[in-house]
Amino acid sequence: MPRVTSETRAPAERALLVLVHEDADLDIYSEEELTALTEAAGAEPAGTIHQRVSKPTSATYVGSGKVQEIFA
């Protein structure tokens, strides 16, 4: 079996984490858990964006301004 080294290992996928909820007190716990889940799935967190909403938008889950920020 070939030995896997940093030179032969495929680069990890990168993921932008988007946290959406009402309560700012949940940010730290939610971000830690989402980061751990992302890494467990084999991706590397590239950054985190927070969005506080009382009711998520049905089309995009976050507001249109936040969608522009995500794709910028």
Side-chain angles (χ1 to χ4, degrees):
M1 175 173 259
R3 193 169 135 207
V4 176
T5 65
S6 60
E7 292 84 35
T8 59
R9 189 176 314 137
E13 287 187 48
R14 297 184 59 182
L16 178 62
L17 309 181
V18 180
L19 296 164
V20 181
H21 48 77
E22 293 180 35
D23 190 353
D25 293 335
L26 298 176
D27 278 358
I28 293 171
Y29 171 75
S30 297
E31 186 170 350
E32 289 173 355
E33 184 165 354
L34 187 56
T35 299
L37 289 169
T38 302
E39 291 170 347
E44 175 186 328
T48 305
I49 293 179
H50 296 263
Q51 174 75 54
R52 285 183 206 21
V53 295
S54 58
K55 182 179 178 187
T57 307
S58 61
T60 59
Y61 204 72
V62 294
S64 60
K66 196 57 73 171
V67 170
Q68 290 177 349
E69 182 181 339
I70 291 167
F71 284 99

